[in-house]
Amino acid sequence: MKKYIISAFAGLALMTSCVDLDLNPLSEGSSENWYSTEQEVTLALNALYSPSLWETECKRFFNTDRWTDDWNQRVNLYDWLAGTISSEWKQGAAEWTNHYKGIARANTILYSLNKAAGEISEEKIAQYAGEAKFFRASFYLYLINAFGDVPFYTEYISLDEAYEMGRTDREVILQQIYQDYDDAAKVLPESYTGVERVTKGAALAMKARAALYMSDWKTCAEAAKACMNLKVYSLHDDFEEFFHSHTKTSPELIFALPCSNELGITTFNADAKSFLPRNNGCTSTAQPSWELFFAFTCTDGKNVEDSPLYDPANPFANRDPRLAATMVEFGKEFLDYIYDPRPSAEQTIQVSTGQKVSNQDNITVKKDASYNGMTLRKHVDEEWIDKSTDAPVRIIRYADVLLMYAEAKMEMGEIDKDMFDALNSVRARAYKCAVEETSKYPAVTEADQSELRRIIRNERRCELAWENRRWFDLIRWRACEPCLTVPIYGFSSNDDLKENEKSGYWIFPKDFRPTMRLDSTIDITSIENYPGYFKINVKRKFVPRQYLYPIPLNDRTVCYNLTQNPGY
């Protein structure tokens, strides 16, 4: 009897022979002895929600954000941002392996569902097939975005076939991704009672994302609009609250990976310590960048470089409310302490006791306090201090769908009321008002496509900051060279900080104004014209070949028809 392999491609690289390969281990479910009851099929589908398969999203906190211009981490550079990845890059290999594991498991479910005929209704079998197709499409989407053309299969393949397999054009795979999402949307319910699983809206939203990544604007707009037309989703009333640990469900949340402290599946772990202030006994290792800080517009809707409302002596004043919901505002309470990184603030207040304490978040007091004065607020609440919150891993939300729709419409030149309503709904929510209340927020009215493109891209940056979305946007916009080949800046010396504070402009110079490049990225390199206000923490070294990952060496060693991406 012909044997079949259902493992990930990367697993093949570890095998020199299939003689001893046990393809149907008796200790676990397999295509030979599983999938015949509803419980067995449900358990198999549940495994596809495991964060371990969603490597790109779940390897670590803010996995891909670490490679973007939204991130600052002392003098550390991750290998992708340093331009040093190769075919032996462990993270690329892990993404390849785990996404193919997910594909193999989804294919196994689809191959085996016929065994449940008679035990499960045809309607339910169709729903389960749709759920499996959703996951298969999502894993392939991560692969073609990262690697380009990749090996492609939708059924079982033999070991010999796997060895001989080459790469399939990602445009061909994209069509199957669309089909899988379409099939899923036809059979999945719009919502569930008592459980959170993949829905029709999730399939439509992820199809829109797939099209967005490939600049297929028509498909993106149609899928996003279909999701919007379900009338199932709406924006959470409070932007900041949406990201709190206790907000496990929301009409804005379209698809997330559920987590549970009780089951030992937690969103956050000891890594949380890296993002919390030193006054809370943590390390303040990483924080939002100055580039991200300046991406948020002033309350008149203008960029910092153009707005008369910007005050360099009080740089959080008169800014988009999402700024203070993303980074901790100076002089405000955060996690029981007044956050005050000013050099003169050698003490601060512990709010619960009212007592003055040594200010460990002042770099003149503690040398490893935030290197640029910023601290992450988005996502962070009291549960982070315990480092065991089980907030869901949010993969896609309704604001993203609205912004995808707006971008796709803009790129097609369809700059109309529907486009502005989608875009302005997101912005109005930030100001806690309705989209029609244009006197209460800076509604976008720009009709010039080039300028509108910059506005929409920047809106995505501010709305989706530190949600693992920025890197994907920089990749698809081919915008990495301008912003990821310049230094990461931070504070100058303590003596300089103290002198600057005497002038009334301690963090940024009075006359310093960053500019927005044509591609919407923020250029702060002119700060080098102000000695004493900056230090180069580390130099970024992005190289263009990294718009695609290298094909992992182990897989190319075994699967000899796998070609390599250019430059590796």
Side-chain angles (χ1 to χ4, degrees):
M1 184 178 73
K2 190 175 182 180
K3 291 187 177 182
Y4 292 94
I5 181 164
I6 61 175
S7 63
F9 272 84
L12 298 177
L14 304 177
M15 306 168 193
T16 57
S17 170
C18 63
V19 173
D20 298 320
L21 180 61
D22 185 356
L23 299 174
N24 292 300
L26 299 178
S27 61
E28 59 186 68
S30 73
S31 57
E32 298 290 332
N33 55 23
W34 199 252
Y35 308 106
S36 58
T37 69
E38 187 163 1
Q39 181 183 29
E40 291 171 350
V41 173
T42 301
L43 287 172
L45 286 168
N46 288 350
L48 295 175
Y49 292 83
S50 170
S52 66
L53 299 180
W54 292 77
E55 180 79 18
T56 305
E57 300 282 355
C58 300
K59 174 180 174 61
R60 57 196 166 196
F61 274 163
F62 317 116
N63 182 34
T64 60
D65 286 317
R66 298 165 188 254
W67 308 334
T68 75
D69 52 350
D70 285 355
W71 189 273
N72 184 85
Q73 189 168 338
R74 296 182 182 171
V75 296
N76 181 69
L77 270 189
Y78 289 90
D79 37 15
W80 187 90
L81 196 54
T84 60
I85 67 172
S86 69
S87 60
E88 298 180 80
W89 185 39
K90 291 182 179 179
Q91 177 156 346
E95 290 187 26
W96 176 280
T97 298
N98 287 304
H99 294 323
Y100 270 120
K101 281 182 181 178
I103 289 165
R105 292 180 184 182
N107 282 341
T108 300
I109 293 170
L110 291 165
Y111 178 86
S112 305
L113 277 173
N114 64 307
K115 297 184 180 198
E119 295 292 329
I120 307 176
S121 70
E122 291 184 8
E123 180 181 10
K124 203 70 174 177
I125 287 177
Q127 178 182 321
Y128 289 151
E131 195 167 351
K133 287 182 178 181
F134 170 90
F135 285 100
R136 180 171 69 184
S138 298
F139 296 136
Y140 268 125
L141 175 57
Y142 286 112
L143 286 168
I144 67 171
N145 182 74
F147 296 96
D149 304 341
V150 296
F152 174 62
Y153 67 108
T154 57
E155 298 178 351
Y156 281 173
I157 56 174
S158 71
L159 191 59
D160 289 340
E161 289 169 335
Y163 284 145
E164 296 174 1
M165 186 168 279
R167 300 169 68 181
T168 298
D169 188 321
R170 71 174 178 178
E171 290 295 332
V172 173
I173 301 172
L174 179 63
Q175 297 311 308
Q176 182 63 53
I177 290 171
Y178 288 164
Q179 187 63 58
D180 278 353
Y181 283 138
D182 285 343
D183 290 348
K186 289 176 184 176
V187 296
L188 291 175
E190 293 184 2
S191 62
Y192 295 84
T193 301
V195 295
E196 296 295 326
R197 302 189 73 87
V198 173
T199 60
K200 180 188 295 290
L204 294 170
M206 289 297 288
K207 181 183 180 182
R209 178 175 285 175
L212 183 84
Y213 287 175
M214 302 301 148
S215 300
D216 180 356
W217 306 119
K218 184 174 184 295
T219 301
C220 178
E222 289 174 349
K225 186 63 171 176
C227 181
M228 294 157 62
N229 286 343
L230 293 176
K231 307 297 183 184
V232 172
Y233 307 105
S234 60
L235 297 173
H236 200 87
D237 289 341
D238 188 305
F239 174 82
E240 182 175 350
E241 183 189 59
F242 175 79
F243 299 99
H244 287 173
S245 300
H246 63 77
T247 308
K248 294 180 172 58
T249 60
S250 166
E252 183 167 351
L253 191 58
I254 296 177
F255 174 60
L257 304 177
C259 294
S260 168
N261 283 332
E262 183 179 351
L263 298 177
I265 306 172
T266 56
T267 313
F268 304 141
N269 51 37
D271 286 346
K273 191 174 183 179
S274 298
F275 308 98
L276 300 187
R278 300 192 73 88
N279 281 328
N280 296 100
C282 300
T283 64
S284 195
T285 302
Q287 49 277 142
S289 67
W290 283 351
E291 288 97 331
L292 178 59
F293 177 84
F294 285 113
F296 291 88
T297 64
C298 293
T299 52
D300 56 6
K302 296 180 180 180
N303 296 326
V304 164
E305 63 184 295
D306 301 318
S307 176
L309 299 180
Y310 173 66
D311 180 2
N314 187 9
F316 276 90
N318 307 317
R319 303 289 295 279
D320 185 316
R322 288 170 295 190
L323 172 59
T326 302
M327 310 178 196
V328 181
E329 185 173 357
F330 306 152
K332 300 293 184 180
E333 178 186 357
F334 183 60
L335 299 179
D336 196 33
Y337 293 89
I338 301 300
Y339 183 73
D340 194 350
R342 289 178 303 123
S344 62
E346 296 184 356
Q347 290 185 312
T348 191
I349 301 294
Q350 184 177 17
V351 176
S352 60
T353 65
Q355 300 297 310
K356 288 186 176 182
V357 297
S358 175
N359 187 5
Q360 300 296 297
D361 290 313
N362 183 329
I363 201 166
T364 66
V365 175
K366 192 72 173 180
K367 69 179 182 66
D368 286 328
S370 171
Y371 276 31
N372 68 357
M374 305 300 168
T375 287
L376 180 67
R377 186 180 191 97
K378 191 174 185 178
H379 308 282
V380 180
D381 56 25
E382 289 75 9
E383 283 194 17
W384 278 53
I385 296 175
D386 296 330
K387 296 178 280 292
S388 91
T389 177
D390 56 2
V393 179
R394 303 173 182 93
I395 303 298
I396 196 162
R397 59 187 178 94
Y398 190 52
D400 197 353
V401 172
L402 293 173
L403 292 175
M404 288 192 291
Y405 179 71
E407 183 177 354
K409 293 269 286 181
M410 175 275 297
E411 292 291 353
M412 292 189 294
E414 298 178 5
I415 301 172
D416 55 19
K417 184 178 184 300
D418 279 352
M419 189 225 70
F420 282 118
D421 282 349
L423 175 59
N424 283 322
S425 292
V426 175
R427 183 172 284 193
R429 187 269 298 273
Y431 286 79
K432 297 185 179 180
C433 61
V435 67
E436 300 85 6
E437 298 178 290
T438 54
S439 64
K440 296 182 179 180
Y441 75 101
V444 178
T445 59
E446 178 62 63
D448 177 77
Q449 187 184 45
S450 295
E451 187 58 31
L452 185 57
R453 179 179 292 116
R454 293 207 303 169
I455 291 171
I456 290 174
R457 289 183 176 188
N458 194 63
E459 192 72 17
R460 282 187 64 83
R461 182 179 195 174
C462 297
E463 175 69 22
L464 304 173
W466 283 56
E467 294 183 47
N468 270 340
R469 303 276 72 85
R470 176 68 174 170
W471 179 80
F472 293 93
D473 284 345
L474 291 175
I475 290 292
R476 66 185 178 88
W477 293 330
R478 291 299 187 262
C480 294
E481 286 93 334
C483 64
L484 301 183
T485 55
V486 296
I488 295 175
Y489 300 100
F491 285 147
S492 184
S493 69
N494 291 346
D495 289 341
D496 284 338
L497 281 171
K498 291 175 181 178
E499 284 300 311
N500 295 340
E501 188 175 15
K502 292 177 183 178
S503 73
Y505 303 94
W506 73 273
I507 183 168
F508 301 118
K510 178 181 179 181
D511 299 322
F512 167 65
R513 298 292 187 277
T515 59
M516 180 181 282
R517 301 183 183 96
L518 290 177
D519 63 9
S520 83
T521 58
I522 300 296
D523 184 357
I524 66 170
T525 56
S526 63
I527 200 167
E528 294 188 20
N529 296 328
Y530 300 90
Y533 274 96
F534 76 95
K535 179 173 66 178
I536 293 176
N537 287 341
V538 64
K539 293 184 178 181
R540 290 175 281 215
K541 301 175 183 178
F542 171 81
V543 291
R545 69 180 183 183
Q546 292 184 177
Y547 279 115
L548 289 176
Y549 287 0
I551 304 300
L553 176 63
N554 284 345
D555 294 86
R556 292 195 66 229
T557 300
V558 175
C559 302
Y560 47 84
N561 284 328
L562 283 180
T563 57
Q564 185 56 278
N565 280 323
Y568 294 102

